[in-house]
Amino acid sequence: MHFALVCLGGAVGTGARYLLGGVALRWLGADFPHGTLLVNVVGSFCIGLVQELAWGSLVLPESARVILAVGLLGGFTTYSAFAYESLRLAANGSWGAALLYVALTTALCFAACLLGIGAARVVAG
């Protein structure tokens, strides 16, 4: 049963990634991988929130953690796209943009995950 729910969560996460990436593309343009950056930052916050609510506070049951963290957020976050887009920027000679993208993704996702953990602690009391 967990397997089916993880698969369903992954499908929902993938659809959400597609929609959010499309919105970012329309609003912010195609000159920089804004959509992947946004998805990874939001996903990092959410995974911090979910994991802390499950493991740190024991508010979220293990089954919900697996469905959300492994399924939904596993389908939502896009590290493979991040790696490819970083290399594509560098290969096109945009070394500054590539380095900025790597630095922003690393720093913002780390900070977002930390904020997610903090938010979970506030929610859990």
Side-chain angles (χ1 to χ4, degrees), residues 28-105:
L28 302 170
D31 60 325
F32 189 82
H34 296 100
T36 303
L37 178 61
L38 181 60
V39 162
N40 284 335
V41 171
V42 169
S44 293
F45 172 83
C46 290
I47 205 158
L49 180 72
V50 167
Q51 297 289 55
E52 183 63 22
L53 286 174
W55 285 340
S57 306
L58 302 175
V59 172
L60 199 61
E62 177 63 10
S63 58
R65 185 198 69 79
V66 169
I67 293 162
L68 294 171
V70 177
L72 183 89
L73 294 170
F76 183 70
T77 57
T78 57
Y79 188 79
S80 58
F82 158 73
Y84 173 77
E85 289 167 343
S86 300
L87 292 173
R88 191 186 71 213
L89 285 168
N92 289 338
S94 298
W95 284 96
L99 292 173
L100 176 66
Y101 186 43
V102 169
L104 281 173
T105 297

